Amino acid sequence: MSILEQKAFISHIPPFDKLQEPELKTVVDAMDIAYFKKGEYLIRQDTSPDALYIIIKGVVQETRDD
């Protein structure tokens, strides 16, 4: 996905749709596309996330060890 496609995509998603052009550019410039395999963890229990994940395709499931 090109930067222009990323910008067009994200600019229609709340709360990003409220950003002004310079702010939107900052967000898009910081974005990266990642692919995860089935069963792979995005965030582990009792840890702080280091990123904001926007799921474009697929399913995410929240589970707990207990």
Side-chain angles (χ1 to χ4, degrees), residues 20-45:
Q20 299 297 317
E21 187 67 26
E23 299 162 327
L24 189 59
K25 182 180 180 328
T26 300
V27 170
V28 170
D29 288 347
M31 286 176 63
D32 195 11
I33 295 175
Y35 298 92
F36 297 91
K37 296 177 183 173
K38 184 176 182 177
E40 194 171 352
Y41 289 94
L42 299 181
I43 304 169
R44 296 259 183 203
Q45 184 175 326

Side-chain angles (χ1 to χ4, degrees), residues 51-64:
L52 170 66
Y53 295 95
I54 300 171
I55 310 304
I56 296 172
K57 180 179 178 183
V59 177
V60 174
Q61 181 179 7
E62 179 181 2
T63 60
R64 294 183 58 109

